[in-house]
């Protein structure tokens, strides 16, 4: 098990691709997010698009 704290999905994608080139493995990704922060972010995006 590995936990990455990355700045964006693009960074995570790059890291996983680099690993896949050297380590034959299957990756399962489970995002760890703060539910309250995610709810606030989505609400602000909905409000901004209205």
């Amino acid at each position: 098990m590995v936990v990455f704290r990355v700045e964006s999905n693009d960074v995570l994608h790059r890291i996983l691709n680099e690993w896949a080139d050297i380590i034959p493995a299957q990756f399962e990704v489970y995002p760890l997010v703060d539910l309250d922060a995610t709810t606030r972010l989505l609400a602000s995006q909905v409000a901004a698009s209205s």
Side-chain angles (χ1 to χ4, degrees):
M1 181 173 114
V2 177
V3 176
F4 291 105
R5 184 175 191 153
V6 294
E7 297 171 4
S8 69
N9 286 337
D10 292 335
V11 173
L12 178 60
H13 185 22
R14 181 181 50 78
I15 291 169
L16 293 178
N17 279 336
E18 289 172 358
W19 279 32
D21 289 341
I22 58 174
I23 302 170
Q26 177 180 348
F27 296 101
E28 292 185 28
V29 178
Y30 299 95
L32 304 176
V33 296
D34 180 336
L35 184 57
D36 292 333
T38 303
T39 302
R40 286 192 304 273
L41 171 67
L42 293 173
S44 69
Q45 290 176 348
V46 169
S49 67
S50 300

